Amino acid sequence: MPTVPTLPGVRPTVDPFDVRDPARAARPAIGHRGGAITYGALAERIERRVGAFDAAGLPDRSIVVLTGDNGVEWVVSYLALLARRDVPVLAADHV
């Protein structure tokens, strides 16, 4: 099972997004008003969002201001930006 890279001297942890294990993929990752999204479904949504950013022409390792209401779509966008190695800058909507 792959591990998340850590600093020297820090115990490695199991990567929760490694959804090759069906049992892990079926576990709830995010709870929301409509229920829960599993790790497998979250990984698929992140992958699709990465593809959408790529298709929109967003250059690799961009600095991106991320704004929006708290919710699953915000989390998916944030994690997709991290997966692309972009730098999400968080902006408060309700100032």
Side-chain angles (χ1 to χ4, degrees):
M1 192 73 51
T3 58
V4 176
T6 61
L7 298 172
V10 177
R11 192 176 83 226
T13 58
V14 174
D15 182 354
F17 291 102
D18 180 20
V19 293
R20 293 175 290 182
D21 175 8
R24 177 168 290 129
R27 290 179 56 200
I30 300 175
H32 60 94
R33 291 181 203 146
I37 295 176
T38 64
Y39 279 103
L42 180 60
E44 290 172 7
R45 288 173 80 163
I46 292 168
E47 192 173 308
R48 285 195 308 268
R49 187 67 47 90
V50 166
F53 289 147
D54 291 343
L58 184 64
D60 291 341
R61 299 181 185 221
S62 295
I63 298 172
V64 179
V65 175
L66 183 60
T67 184
D69 293 329
N70 291 338
V72 174
E73 293 306 317
W74 188 95
V75 172
V76 169
S77 294
Y78 179 78
L79 293 174
L81 290 169
L82 292 179
R84 286 175 31 91
R85 295 188 175 170
D86 293 325
V87 178
V89 177
L90 311 181
D93 280 354
H94 309 288
V95 179

